[in-house]
């Protein structure tokens, strides 16, 4: 019992450190500042962090910055030089090497993806085009009970919440040989809701006897009929799959969306695989 309580306390403190780091990606934080955020001794903090998170602080910071950079390449007008600077690189060449190692292509090549044709409207829809990008499968899914950590704001920022959630799960001994199912629940439409008001939950399907950590709660992801679309590639490209699902498939399907939020299930490990191999199932409840 004492050991479990200690793990929970350490996990909660590491969560504070990751949140502190994610909110200050543009600042040159020191080890002492990060240690103070989690109330750790600066002499031992780095070892504790690596033991609970499975990586160094620099690795977490680098991954979060590159994830933000990928989003900016697709969705902002900023030059590659400016994005490189915001990601913490002194030159475009250094940024290109780091980005290429993570995303297996140059930033310029990655940015060209945003030049893809826009999603068709219902009037433009041609069912023969459906197989060119995605396919949707109607499946009856079982309900899932999961521990959820809330996120408020731009959906692109939910990655930091997942980092904290995995840190808690690792400290609690929940990340064993069998992978833990991970979900993201998205309650609002980003097209209709100001970014700062968007609501979402990062979720892990952990054993039923698990005690949720601070600021966490149990949620029930409803089962039933769903349209499921699997996207392969970086999370920053998921909007394409959403556009196809809602603008092309749904209007032509004869189906109607149910009164429940859409959610994503992350089908493989984004920490151990390159972004081109990340698989995400978008699950749309149907009536």
């Amino acid at each position: 019992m004492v050991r479990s309580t200690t793990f929970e306390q350490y996990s909660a403190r590491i969560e504070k450190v990751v949140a502190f780091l994610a909110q200050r990606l543009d600042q040159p934080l020191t080890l002492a500042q990060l240690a103070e955020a989690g109330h750790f001794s600066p002499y031992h903090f780095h070892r504790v962090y690596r033991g609970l998170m499975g990586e160094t602080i620099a690795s977490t910071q680098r991954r979060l910055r590159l994830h933000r950079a990928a989003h900016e390449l697709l969705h902002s007008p900023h030059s590659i030089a400016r994005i490189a600077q915001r990601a913490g690189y002194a030159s475009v060449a250094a940024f290109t090497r780091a980005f290429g190692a993570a995303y297996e292509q140059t930033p310029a090549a990655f940015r060209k993806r945003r030049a893809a044709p826009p999603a068709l409207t219902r009037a433009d829809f041609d069912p023969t085009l459906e197989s060119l990008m995605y396919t949707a499968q109607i499946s009856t899914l079982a309900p899932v009970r999961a521990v959820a950590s809330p996120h408020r704001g731009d959906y692109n920022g939910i990655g930091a919440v997942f980092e904290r959630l995995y840190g808690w799960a690792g400290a609690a001994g929940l990340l064993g040989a069998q992978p833990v199912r991970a979900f993201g629940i998205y309650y609002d439409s980003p097209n209709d809701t100001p970014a700062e008001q968007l609501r979402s939950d990062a979720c892990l399907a952990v054993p039923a006897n698990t005690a949720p950590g601070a600021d966490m709660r149990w949620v029930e992801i409803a089962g039933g009929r769903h349209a499921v679309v699997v996207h392969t590639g970086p999370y920053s490209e998921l909007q394409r799959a959403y556009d196809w699902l809602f603008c092309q498939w749904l209007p032509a399907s004869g189906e109607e969306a149910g009164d429940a939020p859409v959610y994503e299930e992350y089908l493989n490990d984004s920490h151990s695989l390159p972004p081109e191999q990340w698989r995400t199932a978008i699950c749309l409840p149907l009536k």
Side-chain angles (χ1 to χ4, degrees), residues 98-176:
F99 191 89
Y103 284 77
E104 298 187 333
Q105 59 187 296
T106 66
F110 189 86
R111 166 161 271 183
K112 287 182 179 179
R113 296 164 179 257
R114 72 177 183 181
L120 300 178
T121 64
R122 179 170 183 166
D124 297 326
F125 181 72
D126 178 354
T128 62
L129 298 177
E130 181 174 353
S131 63
L132 296 180
M133 290 185 65
Y134 299 100
T135 58
Q137 180 177 353
I138 297 178
S139 301
T140 301
L141 304 180
V144 177
R145 194 164 183 257
V147 165
S149 184
H151 172 64
R152 298 297 177 267
D154 191 328
Y155 287 155
N156 186 54
I158 199 172
V161 181
F162 272 108
E163 296 288 345
R164 298 196 300 273
L165 190 61
Y166 273 105
W168 163 80
L174 301 174
L175 303 180

Side-chain angles (χ1 to χ4, degrees), residues 22 29 34 47 70 87 95 120 186 210 228 248 256 274:
L29 300 174
L34 293 169
R47 289 187 177 90
F95 173 62
L120 300 178
Y186 301 92
T210 303
V228 181
Q248 295 190 31
E256 188 172 350

Side-chain angles (χ1 to χ4, degrees), residues 3-17 38-41 44-45 47-49 52 167-168 171:
R3 184 174 183 270
S4 175
T5 301
T6 301
F7 269 125
E8 290 174 3
Q9 291 173 347
Y10 269 61
S11 177
R13 289 157 64 189
I14 288 292
E15 288 176 27
K16 292 181 180 178
V17 174
H39 303 290
F40 288 102
S41 163
H44 309 294
F45 168 61
R47 289 187 177 90
V48 171
Y49 186 93
L52 292 180
W168 163 80

Side-chain angles (χ1 to χ4, degrees), residues 7 42 64 84 90 106-107 118 168 181 190 221 245:
F7 269 125
L64 291 175
T106 66
W168 163 80
R181 295 177 71 187
I221 301 175
L245 177 61

Side-chain angles (χ1 to χ4, degrees), residues 12 21 50 72 76 102 108 122 140 159 177 184 186 198 218 271 275 278 281:
L21 176 62
R50 184 164 186 168
E72 291 179 340
S76 82
R122 179 170 183 166
T140 301
Y186 301 92
L198 292 172
W218 285 102
H271 288 155
W278 295 350

